[in-house]
Amino acid sequence: MAHQLYRLDSRSTTILLEIEPGRSPVWRHFGPRVDDCELARNWQACALLSLAPGAMDRLSGPLLTPGFDGLAQKPTLAAHRGGADTVHAWGLESCTRAGTDSLELLLADARAGLRLEVRLHLDADSDVLSLDAMLHNVGDGPLEVQQFSAPSIPVPHGLDEVGYFNGEWAHEFQWQREKVGAAGWSRDNRRGRTSHQTPAALFALASQTGDHAGPAVGAQLAWSGNHRLDLQRQDDGRLVLLAGEWFAPGEVILAPGDSLRTPALHVVFSAAGMNAVTRSFHALCRQRVVRWPGGRQRPRPVHINTWEALYFRHELTELYELAEQAARIGVERFVLDDGWFKGRNNDRAALGDWWPDPDKFPQGLAPLIDRVQALGMEFGLWVEPEMVNPDSDLYRAHPDWALGVAGRELVLGRNQLVLDLSRPEVSAFVFEKLHALLADGGVRYLKWDMNRDLAQACGGDGRSRYHAQVLALYALLERLRTAHPDVEIESCASGGARADLGILRYTHRIWTSDNNDAMSRVAIQQGALRLFPPEVLGCHVGPAPAHATGRTQSLDFRCAVALFGHMGVEADVRRFDAASRDRLAWWLALYKRWRHVMHHGVIDQGQTPSGAIWWLASDAQTHLLCVIMPVPPDTVQASPVRLPTLATSGAWRVRLQARAGQLRQRAGQHNPWINALEADGVCLSGDELAHIGLPLPAMQPESALYFSLERP
């Protein structure tokens, strides 16, 4: 039977699938938009291949869902029934269109007793291809699933480098780039949460690809637990991407009639560099992932978080004083961090006992909430509901509620254990405690923390609960949001250890890092911005010296770095002198003037030859440009900042809105260029800014400049 082609198109991307009933769908194209496809229409993929000496006798192009059949392509599914039914070969039963932007395929392997539903959605506006698959056990016996990935993605030829992120606590989102070898590339995460070390994202890049030019494929797996990312080298030299959950041995066993769905894989192709991939990821997050209370994002309020100001020392007098000073400098949301609940005087006790400490708050939290609201701020509260300390009333009453292996020593992390949320009674208990805290409407924000990895995460039956724990977390968050639709939730996990598109479906903010050192934050935020828009990235002005590193930066520099995100303060502003409080208030006011551009605009980033890092937020008529020199420059004179996206955009008036740190010039030097930018501004064309660049003054390390670009 002649093959058929099914295609989906967006503004810049085309996908082509070769479809033949009874056979597995074959990828013919994923990449730049192609309007006419005569070759794929007239020639099957296998007809264009050679039968090489020593090769197997079966020819095939890259399969959408390769089976475990001993052939070269890595399978999306590895499963068995007591050691049998290990070979899987998918045959297409149907392929239907769901609107103009989606395909739904049904495949089956009758011999193995399996059916597979595959969904593909190519968003016309963002160019994001979203894929997932659902496996159905229609056989007679239980099926143990060892591996199950989303449908495969063929990476265009020539994209032989991989960009990814690694890190650790206080050092998240560190960008790495390397060539993919002949054996391919893979990374596993087995920590039970997205992790500091292995975020669920990668970029496939050509050697010449940079921020603004060159082909790139970006991928994010929308999952908040264990995962595996693979770039598998094919016989023709190209790479194929596989992404899915990592399962512990024996973790997933499907009874007859049971089903299992992969997390969604979101993939972008760009011919215009990594920034174009980032723009697509941001559009996806804004349009289809984050669900704001009331259906619309309101201006992101300035936070103050009490942690690095007070830690566990919660005294009402001090809290009132901190709230009053915070309100005076323009803070809009007061978040009471760890230490407010019964017996919580350190990190060794009380997790699980979610009611106000009667010694610290004899009348409950109401007096503090009333004071905060009277000062014009919202009230937020820190919780860590998935955890329990062995020294707690909850654990003494229900030790069996914690994940662990019977007969083995419990593995603690930060002196705490993990509650088994997959048990209905545990999830119900956590919901009721949180519901009670939120019921009177005074708490409008939850900072939801998760301060340890999952280790030996087994239930009472001895089987691993990693997969079930993530699904139970999502269900708990959804139930809480349904009951309290006006409450915003922040995803914190020892900083940025649970930052992914899965958790953002249920939350509204990521705590990017526990590290508020502005020098560290430049690289952390630079990496995080490649995946997530700035309005969901918590960025705080911390104390000096920074508690995570012991280093000190100027207040202006700390503010400049924190401004380009969801800005907040995490310092004891009572201890600031009057001039410092006034200066902090000035920066918070600047953030408020420009947050609409950062939080709704298109984001680009880059680096000058002199070593300056820049971030650009753009809407139709306005741009905000942040230029940061974190370390001593590589050149005596500063390289200009070229802004490629402004080509052919017309005239712009450029003004210097703010500066932090020192210029690198002799004392007393008159700088007419800077004076003009600070006064009425300078008019430049978009072509000048794109191809010649905005001239910069020489900058000292730990300095920053903010420019506005508006129509003259």
Side-chain angles (χ1 to χ4, degrees):
M1 180 181 291
H3 71 283
Q4 292 180 281
L5 284 183
Y6 278 78
R7 66 180 295 156
L8 296 174
D9 297 289
S10 64
R11 290 178 305 169
S12 306
T13 302
T14 292
I15 71 165
L16 286 174
L17 286 176
E18 179 182 303
I19 300 295
E20 188 175 347
R23 296 186 178 275
S24 186
V26 176
W27 277 108
R28 298 305 302 269
H29 179 70
F30 168 67
R33 180 156 179 152
V34 179
D35 291 327
D36 196 6
C37 304
E38 289 296 321
L39 178 66
R41 184 179 300 112
N42 295 320
W43 291 85
Q44 285 186 286
C46 61
L48 303 174
L49 301 175
S50 299
L51 194 61
M56 302 297 287
D57 293 344
R58 185 186 304 171
L59 292 173
S60 172
L63 300 177
L64 177 68
T65 55
F68 190 87
D69 54 9
L71 299 179
Q73 193 168 344
K74 185 170 182 175
T76 55
L77 173 69
H80 64 91
R81 302 181 195 276
D85 287 338
T86 60
V87 175
H88 309 125
W90 299 109
L92 180 74
E93 292 193 344
S94 66
C95 179
T96 58
R97 291 189 177 274
T100 60
D101 55 6
S102 300
L103 293 175
E104 296 179 352
L105 297 88
L106 180 60
L107 301 98
D109 183 339
R111 171 65 182 80
L114 302 175
R115 293 171 72 85
L116 188 68
E117 297 178 44
V118 174
R119 301 185 300 189
L120 300 91
H121 173 87
L122 181 60
D123 188 73
D125 295 322
S126 68
D127 290 321
V128 176
L129 174 63
S130 301
L131 314 91
D132 67 7
M134 178 177 279
L135 176 70
H136 301 275
N137 180 10
V138 296
D140 295 330
L143 181 80
E144 180 174 340
V145 180
Q146 297 176 311
Q147 172 192 311
F148 187 34
S149 301
S152 72
I153 294 290
V155 176
H157 286 282
L159 276 65
D160 289 325
E161 295 185 1
V162 60
Y164 61 97
F165 305 92
N166 68 5
E168 58 179 305
W169 175 79
H171 194 56
E172 295 90 339
F173 297 107
Q174 301 301 301
W175 175 250
Q176 310 293 320
R177 183 169 175 171
E178 61 193 47
K179 186 171 178 59
V180 178
W185 177 94
S186 67
R187 293 192 87 196
D188 288 353
N189 168 49
R190 301 183 298 276
R191 296 177 179 269
R193 55 182 180 175
T194 323
S195 83
H196 300 104
Q197 293 79 6
T198 315
L202 63 77
F203 289 70
L205 307 166
S207 59
Q208 74 273 20
T209 301
D211 286 321
H212 318 295
V217 170
Q220 292 195 60
L221 188 70
W223 185 247
S224 307
N226 294 337
H227 57 262
R228 182 180 180 90
L229 305 175
D230 277 296
L231 288 170
Q232 181 81 9
R233 186 73 71 179
Q234 301 301 292
D235 287 344
D236 63 359
R238 86 176 90 181
L239 299 170
V240 169
L241 167 65
L242 288 177
E245 285 187 73
W246 180 92
F247 297 129
E251 180 177 4
V252 177
I253 299 176
L254 300 182
D258 283 354
S259 301
L260 176 67
R261 186 179 294 281
T262 69
L265 176 62
H266 301 291
V267 190
V268 179
F269 171 82
S270 164
M274 291 183 287
N275 278 338
V277 174
T278 289
R279 289 194 288 272
S280 291
F281 281 152
H282 289 188
L284 169 72
C285 193
R286 287 167 170 170
Q287 297 165 13
R288 292 171 45 204
V289 176
V290 179
R291 298 173 293 164
W292 299 105
R296 185 176 182 180
Q297 180 198 145
R298 61 189 179 94
R300 304 294 279 142
V302 176
H303 282 205
I304 191 166
N305 185 285
T306 64
W307 181 241
E308 291 193 2
L310 299 172
Y311 289 100
F312 295 104
R313 194 181 69 251
H314 287 195
E315 297 179 5
L316 274 175
T317 301
E318 287 194 90
L319 290 166
Y320 290 159
E321 291 172 353
L322 184 63
E324 288 163 5
Q325 291 291 352
R328 289 191 186 113
I329 62 173
V331 167
E332 298 163 305
R333 178 182 282 156
F334 183 97
V335 180
L336 183 66
D337 210 284
D338 195 356
W340 59 269
F341 47 99
K342 177 185 174 294
R344 186 66 165 177
N345 299 308
N346 51 56
D347 65 6
R348 299 186 296 276
L351 283 176
D353 300 341
W354 298 112
W355 55 91
D357 188 297
D359 295 328
K360 299 176 182 179
F361 302 97
Q363 296 177 275
L365 295 176
L368 178 60
I369 294 173
D370 291 344
R371 180 69 66 93
V372 166
Q373 292 176 339
L375 291 167
M377 298 182 290
E378 293 181 7
F379 184 82
L381 193 63
W382 179 94
V383 292
E384 196 174 3
E386 300 158 74
M387 301 295 159
V388 63
N389 287 121
D391 183 6
S392 67
D393 290 350
L394 176 61
Y395 187 78
R396 283 185 283 272
H398 299 285
D400 57 313
W401 283 10
L403 293 169
V405 179
R408 295 190 181 275
E409 183 180 355
L410 293 172
V411 179
L412 296 174
R414 200 178 181 246
N415 307 300
Q416 59 201 50
L417 300 168
V418 183
L419 292 171
D420 184 356
L421 295 182
S422 69
R423 294 177 59 162
E425 67 273 27
V426 177
S427 185
F429 170 87
V430 174
F431 172 81
E432 291 301 332
K433 291 301 179 185
L434 296 176
H435 176 65
L437 291 170
L438 299 173
D440 65 0
V443 178
R444 298 289 305 279
Y445 185 87
L446 287 180
K447 179 182 177 183
W448 186 301
D449 212 339
M450 194 257 199
N451 273 309
R452 60 158 287 176
D453 293 340
L454 273 61
Q456 298 185 8
C458 297
D461 58 1
R463 290 179 55 190
S464 293
R465 290 287 193 273
Y466 298 99
H467 171 80
Q469 185 78 357
V470 176
L471 293 182
L473 169 67
Y474 289 167
L476 175 60
L477 286 165
E478 185 66 19
R479 184 182 179 191
L480 196 68
R481 288 194 55 172
T482 300
H484 302 279
D486 295 330
V487 172
E488 289 189 19
I489 303 174
E490 173 180 347
S491 173
C492 177
S494 312
R498 189 156 63 193
D500 59 81
L501 294 176
I503 200 65
L504 278 172
R505 184 67 181 160
Y506 305 93
T507 59
H508 309 89
R509 189 187 204 235
I510 291 166
W511 180 228
T512 321
S513 178
D514 281 348
N515 188 350
N516 288 316
D517 180 308
M519 280 292 292
S520 299
R521 272 294 188 133
V522 173
I524 291 169
Q525 292 170 207
Q526 193 178 14
L529 275 171
R530 291 206 184 276
L531 304 177
F532 310 113
E535 64 268 21
V536 303
L537 297 176
C539 304
H540 288 181
V541 180
H547 292 185
T549 66
R551 297 189 300 195
T552 295
Q553 298 97 30
S554 71
L555 177 60
D556 281 336
F557 186 66
R558 286 177 276 149
C559 290
V561 174
L563 188 145
F564 209 94
H566 182 189
M567 191 177 190
V569 179
E570 193 158 341
D572 192 349
V573 294
R574 301 173 305 159
R575 300 182 184 277
F576 285 24
D577 59 34
S580 296
R581 282 197 293 269
D582 288 346
R583 192 61 182 162
L584 178 54
W586 185 89
W587 280 99
L588 297 182
L590 183 69
Y591 163 81
K592 292 176 185 178
R593 289 204 305 273
W594 288 97
R595 59 187 165 189
H596 69 285
V597 177
M598 291 185 291
H599 297 169
H600 297 276
V602 172
I603 305 299
D604 290 286
Q605 62 176 298
Q607 186 167 345
T608 73
S610 300
I613 291 164
W614 58 265
W615 300 322
L616 179 70
S618 308
D619 66 17
Q621 298 298 321
T622 313
H623 306 268
L624 182 69
L625 172 65
C626 172
V627 180
I628 298 173
M629 181 61 74
V631 296
D634 297 329
T635 57
V636 174
Q637 300 296 331
S639 308
V641 174
R642 292 194 302 111
L643 305 173
T645 56
L646 297 189
T648 71
S649 64
W652 298 96
R653 181 173 294 279
V654 184
R655 289 187 175 90
L656 181 58
Q657 294 286 337
R659 55 173 161 166
Q662 302 297 316
L663 299 182
R664 201 166 182 238
Q665 62 187 31
R666 295 183 182 181
Q669 178 188 348
H670 176 69
N671 193 320
W673 174 244
I674 291 297
N675 293 343
L677 288 169
E678 287 184 319
D680 296 330
V682 176
C683 283
L684 299 171
S685 74
D687 283 344
E688 286 179 291
L689 291 164
H691 303 302
I692 300 173
L694 174 65
L696 294 176
M699 300 166 67
Q700 293 284 24
E702 299 184 19
S703 61
L705 302 171
Y706 270 91
F707 300 92
S708 63
L709 290 77
E710 299 176 282
R711 293 300 184 187

